[in-house]
Amino acid sequence: MRLKALLDFVILVSTWSKGDGKCRCIYNEPCWPTEQDFASLSSHLSQPLLRPVPPASACYPFHNPSGNCSDVQSHRRDSIWRTDQPGAYENINFESHIFQNGSISACYLNTTFGIPCEKGNVPPVGVDARIVEDVQVAVKFAGQHNLRLVVKNTGHDYLGRSSGRNAFMIWTHHLKNITYTAEFIPEGGSRKDAVPGLTVGAGVQWYEAYTAAAQNNRFVVGGISATGSNGAAGGWIMGGGHSVFSPKFGLGEFSTNALLRCIADWGCAGVDNAVEFTIVKPNGDYAVVNSHHNQDLFWALRGGGPGSWGVLISVTHKTHDLFPLVFSTLNVTFPTPDAATSVVTELVRLSPILSDLGWGGYGLFSNMNLFLGFPSPNASWGDVKSTILPLFDLAMNASHDPDAVATTTPLANPYELLNPSDGTESQDDPEVGGLAELGSRLLSRNAAELRPEETARLLLSFDFVEVHFVTGGAVGRVEPDSVALNPGWRKAVALVRTAGSWEEGTSAKAINRIQQGLAQDVTALDHISPDLATYMNEASLHELDFKKSFFGNHYDKLKAIKRKYDPRSLFIVAEGIASDEWDDALTCPR
Ligand SMILES: Cc1cc2nc3c(=O)[nH]c(=O)nc-3n(C[C@H](O)[C@H](O)[C@H](O)COP(=O)(O)OP(=O)(O)OC[C@H]3O[C@@H](n4cnc5c(N)ncnc54)[C@H](O)[C@@H]3O)c2cc1C
């Protein structure tokens, strides 16, 4: 009897705590809105409600598939197709959910496992936002019903922050407005603040933004992927947003005029590539955010992390004149680890020099091979000859590989490289459609300048490592406190990434071992990073101290701003501001 009374009490308390405004309300709980509530919501929206499903659900039940399974399987690595599906994510592990007891809720593309399809982390209900009012209605609905809320744009997130088990989703993919304004004056500003601005809606993807900028003979600093499918006005910008052109023009947040020091406490007009945002705040109000309005939020949105501040509606990026460049590539194999060490040591030593010239690039290497791609804006042949070519000569001589290739190609403008398109060309992206997590650290200028060989040996101790030369140069010359971004970026010359991947059907235990391996990689990389800092959008979900690694000493100020705009923490994401106050599922306060 006593046991039954105790159980009744536990059930009573758990039901009570789910509905009392403390824990978030999630799908299948008694507090979840009724179909009548959803019908009422729907009557205020421009589109029917979404019922997102994992793409592979078309393959189930496996004896009698409900949809075109081979079509879904053929689009596995089709980046743009995936972004068009409300229930699809670029890394498909974020469509599934791992429970604490090790069981996995998933909908595998591989039907031969014979495991029934489950929704995993794909939110069961969502709003297909096409106008600002859709977002406002959805945010208010989520607030009124105390729902676990998820904002999804392209689904590129490497930390799964745009998916959420049993959550209510706002999908921004169709907020596609793009406007170029030759003299964009931020609201509240004057003619002296005018910049050539490209205003992109929250759902615009980089291939679309590049196309619009190119049509106006302008350049916009943005993300790069095989198809340009990542978002131009979502997680990229709020997380920091890097580009191979950042050493020349700064990050998503920063301007060409990088020497200008900003001393304003809450952001600074004149130093930003992002000159204005519009947003639906957590209370459902629409707001303009710039250096004249909501200045504290303006500071926070530039590097204070995605998914924590409301729903972005648009971003206006400052654009730049087009420029010629030299694109250099190197593809070699190494006969011995010593050969790899000598070449990578030289690459590391050179990286601050290249970034100071405003040149960025990508490097992928191991003890066995090296691939480099370096676009160098406004490069003079003299500079290329004294920097990149000696490195390439060293690598070619060390390689003894008859198939080794080194090229330097002059290009008239960056769009010969970025290739703006209508998204109808090959859409397969090798980075997409897998099951993967990342580990990363920024590489400090100090380590590159003072300890190049030690740094090279550390990088080569991994099976395989990616180095993105996307910082230094202009990024390092900006006042660290002028925007929310982790100040560690200012002391860095590159981002180092390691990755762990697995196949569908892998057990939770094996996945956990991979995650632990990534955590060990990160600990090893701490030795070459500035203040353990990294790029929060390309980082581990299992950081020991995400506040320090993602936000540095800006965390407390960001938290104060969050308290002001989102006192109920409606917008909470993994390893985001105030997320440490919530349990791992982000549904109940700790
Ligand atoms: C193939 C690939 C290539 C990449 N290339 C680059 C690169 O070149 N440079 C770079 O810096 N990064 C790059 N990234 C990382 C990328 O910037 C991040 O994954 C980023 O979070 C993606 O943002 P998204 O809005 O497109 O994706 P989503 O997964 O939809 O969203 C990511 C996060 O942003 C939030 N969010 C999205 N839209 C909004 C909105 N309107 N309002 C509020 N919150 C929102 C979501 O809630 C989530 O927390 C790449 C990633 C991939 C997979």
Side-chain angles (χ1 to χ4, degrees):
M1 278 303 281
R2 270 203 196 138
L3 183 64
K4 185 174 179 317
L6 183 66
L7 281 176
D8 285 349
F9 176 73
V10 169
I11 290 166
L12 180 75
V13 167
S14 69
T15 323
W16 165 75
S17 65
K18 295 280 178 189
D20 70 350
K22 287 184 178 165
C23 286
R24 293 281 179 250
C25 182
I26 55 175
Y27 179 66
N28 266 344
E29 288 185 341
C31 55
W32 186 251
T34 62
E35 280 308 311
Q36 219 175 352
D37 293 327
F38 281 119
S40 162
L41 167 68
S42 195
S43 70
H44 293 95
L45 297 171
S46 70
Q47 304 297 314
L49 271 182
L50 295 169
R51 306 281 172 173
V53 289
S57 63
C59 305
Y60 294 84
F62 34 84
H63 295 306
N64 183 20
S66 60
N68 189 341
C69 181
S70 53
D71 186 51
V72 171
Q73 283 168 334
S74 71
H75 284 113
R76 175 171 181 165
R77 297 194 181 278
D78 180 338
S79 173
I80 289 175
W81 181 88
R82 298 197 79 78
T83 61
D84 285 341
Q85 318 300 316
Y89 291 82
E90 301 285 294
N91 287 294
I92 60 180
N93 45 311
F94 295 116
E95 291 165 13
S96 59
H97 183 84
I98 303 179
F99 293 96
Q100 274 180 343
N101 68 5
S103 61
I104 297 179
S105 171
C107 189
Y108 293 126
L109 278 164
N110 184 344
T111 55
T112 62
F113 296 141
I115 302 172
C117 169
E118 291 183 3
K119 268 179 186 281
N121 273 354
V122 176
V125 183
V127 167
D128 179 5
R130 309 255 173 149
I131 52 175
V132 175
E133 289 76 9
D134 287 341
V135 177
Q136 291 183 286
V137 168
V139 168
K140 284 182 184 158
F141 183 83
Q144 274 156 12
H145 292 274
N146 190 31
L147 304 181
R148 159 108 164 83
L149 177 61
V150 158
V151 184
K152 183 188 179 220
N153 179 20
T154 65
H156 272 69
D157 201 73
Y158 280 116
L159 289 87
R161 294 170 296 191
S162 48
S163 64
R165 183 167 176 74
N166 292 330
F168 175 69
M169 179 174 94
I170 298 176
W171 193 35
T172 59
H173 179 60
H174 289 119
L175 290 167
K176 290 283 192 189
N177 285 347
I178 307 185
T179 317
Y180 174 70
T181 313
E183 291 193 15
F184 179 86
I185 301 175
E187 193 179 291
S190 62
R191 285 212 67 176
K192 72 175 171 37
D193 301 321
V195 294
L198 189 74
T199 303
V200 293
V204 170
Q205 295 166 269
W206 277 115
Y207 76 90
E208 296 163 319
Y210 289 139
T211 303
Q215 281 163 356
N216 289 285
N217 289 319
R218 303 295 298 167
F219 176 68
V220 59
V221 179
I224 293 174
S225 63
T227 61
S229 61
N230 41 345
W236 184 85
I237 189 80
M238 288 179 281
H242 65 64
S243 158
V244 278
F245 297 106
S246 297
K248 176 77 181 165
F249 298 110
L251 294 164
E253 285 74 20
F254 308 109
S255 80
T256 46
N257 191 2
L259 289 172
L260 183 59
R261 291 289 190 265
C262 171
I263 50 167
D265 193 23
W266 295 112
C268 43
V271 295
D272 306 316
N273 279 323
V275 291
E276 184 167 283
F277 299 90
T278 59
I279 193 168
V280 170
K281 294 188 288 185
N283 65 4
D285 288 350
Y286 174 78
V288 172
V289 179
N290 61 26
S291 54
H292 306 279
H293 299 297
N294 301 295
Q295 291 99 325
D296 49 1
L297 195 53
F298 188 45
W299 184 83
L301 288 176
R302 292 170 297 163
S308 301
W309 311 101
V311 182
L312 274 196
I313 299 298
S314 70
V315 180
T316 301
H317 298 274
K318 180 178 175 180
T319 65
H320 305 276
D321 292 339
L322 294 180
F323 50 86
L325 62 156
V326 173
F327 184 45
S328 313
T329 65
L330 177 72
N331 196 349
V332 294
T333 57
F334 296 120
T336 62
D338 281 350
T341 304
S342 69
V343 175
V344 172
T345 299
E346 183 55 16
L347 173 64
V348 170
R349 192 194 65 77
L350 206 54
S351 57
I353 297 167
L354 297 180
S355 75
D356 287 343
L357 286 166
W359 302 352
Y362 295 117
L364 292 80
F365 52 84
S366 69
N367 272 311
M368 289 185 295
N369 51 23
L370 166 84
F371 171 78
L372 280 182
F374 260 92
S376 309
N378 293 321
S380 75
W381 276 109
D383 283 341
V384 175
K385 271 192 199 151
S386 65
T387 54
I388 287 180
L389 291 189
L391 172 72
F392 282 14
D393 286 345
L394 177 73
M396 295 296 274
N397 290 334
S399 167
H400 308 307
D401 174 358
D403 295 326
V405 182
T407 64
T408 43
T409 313
L411 302 175
N413 71 62
Y415 295 118
E416 291 189 14
L417 188 66
L418 293 173
N419 189 22
S421 75
D422 59 5
T424 55
E425 293 161 17
S426 167
Q427 298 177 353
D428 277 5
D429 182 340
E431 269 197 90
V432 164
L435 296 92
E437 285 185 23
L438 300 181
S440 68
R441 280 293 178 262
L442 291 166
L443 167 61
S444 78
R445 177 177 281 266
N446 266 349
E449 284 178 348
L450 305 178
R451 298 179 278 136
E453 183 174 339
E454 183 191 328
T455 302
R457 286 187 188 280
L458 175 63
L459 297 178
L460 287 166
S461 69
F462 299 105
D463 290 343
F464 177 76
V465 78
E466 283 184 34
V467 182
H468 294 192
F469 299 94
V470 291
T471 181
V475 179
R477 293 192 291 268
V478 171
E479 162 59 43
D481 296 329
S482 60
V483 293
L485 190 83
N486 188 339
W489 276 94
R490 313 292 166 209
K491 303 179 195 165
V493 289
L495 172 71
V496 180
R497 293 183 4 174
T498 66
S501 61
W502 59 94
E503 294 301 322
E504 284 189 325
T506 303
S507 70
K509 210 170 169 182
I511 295 171
N512 185 259
R513 273 198 299 274
I514 292 168
Q515 291 166 335
Q516 283 175 8
L518 282 172
Q520 282 164 8
D521 290 355
V522 167
T523 305
L525 289 171
D526 279 344
H527 297 292
I528 54 165
S529 71
D531 308 324
L532 318 185
T534 192
Y535 176 36
M536 72 183 81
N537 283 348
E538 297 179 333
S540 166
L541 257 173
H542 310 279
E543 286 286 342
L544 284 179
D545 183 354
F546 78 87
K547 296 180 191 174
K548 187 174 174 58
S549 297
F550 289 5
F551 305 99
N553 63 8
H554 288 163
Y555 187 83
D556 291 343
K557 181 170 167 180
L558 282 163
K559 193 158 173 185
I561 298 170
K562 181 155 177 79
R563 283 275 167 276
K564 175 177 164 188
Y565 287 92
D566 188 16
R568 290 178 59 208
S569 287
L570 185 59
F571 290 83
I572 286 288
V573 292
E575 299 188 335
I577 302 297
S579 62
D580 55 319
E581 295 173 356
W582 292 77
D583 63 4
D584 290 346
L586 302 178
T587 51
C588 288
R590 284 191 197 280

